[in-house]
Amino acid sequence: MELAYYADHAVRLVNTEEPARNKDTLTSVEAVRELFGPSQQAARRATDADVTRFRSVRSRLRAIFEAADEGDETLAVDLLNSLLLEFPVSPQISGHETRTSDGRPDWHMHLADHPSNATAGFAATASMGLAFHVTEYGPDRLGLCQAAPCRNAYLDTSTNRSRRYCSDRCATRANVAAYRARKRLESDRSAHTGRTADTSHDTTTPTDR
C-alpha cells in the first residue's frame, strides 16, 4: 500500500462534513466503517462510540487544512504533530496479498497501528499519511476548495502548485460563475456608459446644438 493512500484517509474524513452547507454524513457506525475503504478488518472494530470520536478527530484535521490554507505553515505542522504524538504508528515492511510476476511478495511499506479503538487506528494512519505528504510536498499543498461554499479538503500534487479546487466539478462551477460575473460586469458598464451619454445629451444648451 502506498503511503500517499494514507493521506487520503484524512481528506475523506474531513470531507464528511460541509459546514457552509450544514451537511454532515458522519452520523452512524456504518458511515464510519465506509471511511476505512477496503480495510474490512479495521472497519469491523468500529462501534457507535466511534461516531463521536471520529468527529473530534475530523475537527482537528480540518484545523490543519485551514491553517495551511491561510498560509500558517507552523500552526499546521504543530497541529499535525499533536495528532502524531497522540496516535502513533509503527512502520513495517509488508508483502501481504499482492505478489510479483515471479511469485515473490511485492514488498512495500505499511503503517501498522495498535489501536485501542477504531478511531485511534484511523487517526494514526491518517495523520502519518498527512505527515508524509507535508514533508514530501510542503504544508502549502494542503488546500481547501475555493469554489464557495464547498471548502472541501484536497491534497495538491500538481507540478506547479496550481490546484485550487477539490474536484473537476467544483473547478467547472467556479469557472462558470467567474464567466457569468464578467459578463454581468460588462453589461453593467455598457448600461452605465449609455446612461451617461443620454444625460450628457439632455443637458446641452440650444446654442451648443
Side-chain angles (χ1 to χ4, degrees):
M1 184 180 294
E2 295 183 0
L3 296 178
Y5 173 85
Y6 292 108
D8 191 57
H9 276 53
V11 173
R12 292 207 310 272
L13 177 53
V14 170
N15 291 346
T16 59
E17 181 183 31
E18 296 183 65
R21 291 174 171 150
N22 197 29
K23 290 184 178 180
D24 188 347
T25 60
L26 192 58
T27 57
S28 66
V29 66
E30 288 76 18
V32 167
R33 288 171 178 161
E34 287 179 4
L35 288 169
F36 285 90
S39 182
Q40 296 302 316
Q41 182 176 356
R44 282 194 291 270
R45 291 199 300 259
T47 67
D48 289 332
D50 284 298
V51 176
T52 300
R53 289 194 287 254
F54 259 69
R55 285 179 171 180
S56 176
V57 172
R58 179 180 64 187
S59 296
R60 295 171 68 181
L61 287 171
R62 176 169 281 278
I64 294 170
F65 279 88
E66 289 175 343
D69 187 65
E70 293 168 1
D72 194 338
E73 295 188 3
T74 300
L75 176 58
V77 170
D78 286 346
L79 293 173
L80 181 52
N81 276 335
S82 70
L83 283 172
L84 291 170
L85 287 171
E86 186 173 345
F87 302 105
V89 295
S90 302
Q92 295 180 356
I93 300 174
S94 175
H96 62 82
E97 297 180 2
T98 57
R99 291 183 177 275
T100 59
S101 57
D102 60 2
R104 292 182 302 166
D106 184 13
W107 300 113
H108 58 278
M109 288 299 296
H110 178 79
L111 299 182
D113 58 87
H114 308 285
S116 56
N117 54 64
T119 302
F122 191 95
T125 52
S127 300
M128 183 59 74
L130 211 56
F132 277 112
H133 186 88
V134 166
T135 53
E136 177 71 19
Y137 298 103
D140 61 328
R141 293 301 192 100
L142 306 182
L144 291 175
C145 187
Q146 299 301 302
C150 178
R151 304 299 283 168
N152 272 349
Y154 64 83
L155 303 172
D156 183 6
T157 57
S158 63
T159 56
N160 57 354
R161 300 174 183 264
S162 61
R163 186 169 179 179
R164 295 293 179 270
Y165 307 103
C166 68
S167 64
D168 290 341
R169 179 180 179 182
C170 276
T172 299
R173 182 163 57 86
N175 289 333
V176 169
Y179 172 78
R180 289 175 176 172
R182 287 195 301 271
K183 286 299 183 180
R184 284 195 300 270
L185 181 59
E186 291 171 4
S187 178
D188 290 344
R189 285 175 176 172
S190 296
H192 178 71
T193 302
R195 286 195 298 271
T196 301
D198 290 342
T199 301
S200 175
H201 177 75
D202 291 342
T203 55
T204 54
T205 64
T207 304
D208 294 331
R209 294 189 183 121

